[in-house]
Structure formats: C-alpha cells, structure tokens
Amino acid sequence: MGYHHISVGDVSPTPDRPSTQRSIDAAASLEQLGANVYEADPGEPLPLAYHVHDEQEEVFYVLSGTLHVETPERTYEVGADEVFVVEPGSPQRAYNPESATEPVRVFAVGAPATDDVHAYDPDA
C-alpha cells in the first residue's frame, strides 16, 4: 500500500510555464494520471498552447476565480466549485483573461497519464 499526504504549497512550481503549475502527480510519483494545481493571474493561460489530446480525459475543478475555456464552438466560463470536463479529441485552451479582476486557482486531473498532446490551430 502507498499513501501520500502533500501540502500543495510545498510542491515547487514547474519551471517555464505561463502560469504557476504545481505537479501533484510528480510529487506523489503517480503513473496512471496527471494531477496539477494551477494558479493563473489575469492574462495568463494554464497550458502552454491551445491543444487537443488523443486519449486523455481532462477534468478542471475551479477552486477560486473564474476559468475561461476556449473551444472551437464557444468560450465557457467556469466559476468556483464548478467542473469543466474535456473528452479526448476535443480542442481547448484554458486561461484567465486579461479583463479578470482576480487570479484563478484550478485543480486539474488528466487520465491516462500519456504524452498525447497536439497543438491545435483554431484558424486552420
């Protein structure tokens, strides 16, 4: 059996990210899913780019603030204590808009933990 009790504040931010990303899966040596806490100030995206996953399902649980998620069809606004789910093959870009008045804090989970991400060009 294995257990991990992690204080998110003790997890060092992942370097070279547009927002603060704390990798919970890395801290706990998880292999089956990705788990991250993001903190994005106004004008900051969560991921590195507008993207799509072949197999990975993603769940974004907003802890505070309002997360905006751009998709090819529309932009969703996801408030605190709300969840946004992205199925495989569904392009998205999660961000905190420049017009926001506060940071957004999000717990994001993706499974399976796979490197199946592809950049998505909404203008293509």
Side-chain angles (χ1 to χ4, degrees):
M1 287 186 233
Y3 306 94
H4 303 272
H5 181 185
I6 298 167
S7 173
V8 174
D10 291 341
V11 177
S12 296
T14 305
D16 302 320
R17 300 294 299 198
S19 60
T20 302
Q21 175 194 23
R22 298 180 193 278
S23 179
I24 305 306
D25 56 291
S29 300
L30 298 177
E31 297 177 7
Q32 302 300 313
L33 64 84
N36 297 285
V37 174
Y38 290 95
E39 297 165 6
D41 287 329
E44 293 182 337
L46 272 61
L48 293 172
Y50 203 141
H51 68 281
V52 61
H53 292 277
D54 295 327
E55 297 177 33
Q56 189 178 68
E57 299 173 319
E58 292 182 290
V59 175
F60 297 89
Y61 174 59
V62 178
L63 301 168
S64 63
T66 300
L67 179 68
H68 287 68
V69 183
E70 180 181 351
T71 71
E73 294 82 28
R74 64 181 274 210
T75 298
Y76 293 86
E77 293 184 16
V78 188
D81 288 327
E82 294 181 344
V83 173
F84 189 79
V85 177
V86 181
E87 296 178 7
S90 302
Q92 58 89 5
R93 181 179 75 93
Y95 65 98
N96 192 8
E98 288 186 24
S99 61
T101 59
E102 64 183 341
V104 63
R105 192 160 190 254
V106 177
F107 179 60
V109 178
T114 181
D115 189 18
D116 69 343
V117 66
H118 307 284
Y120 176 78
D121 182 357
D123 298 323

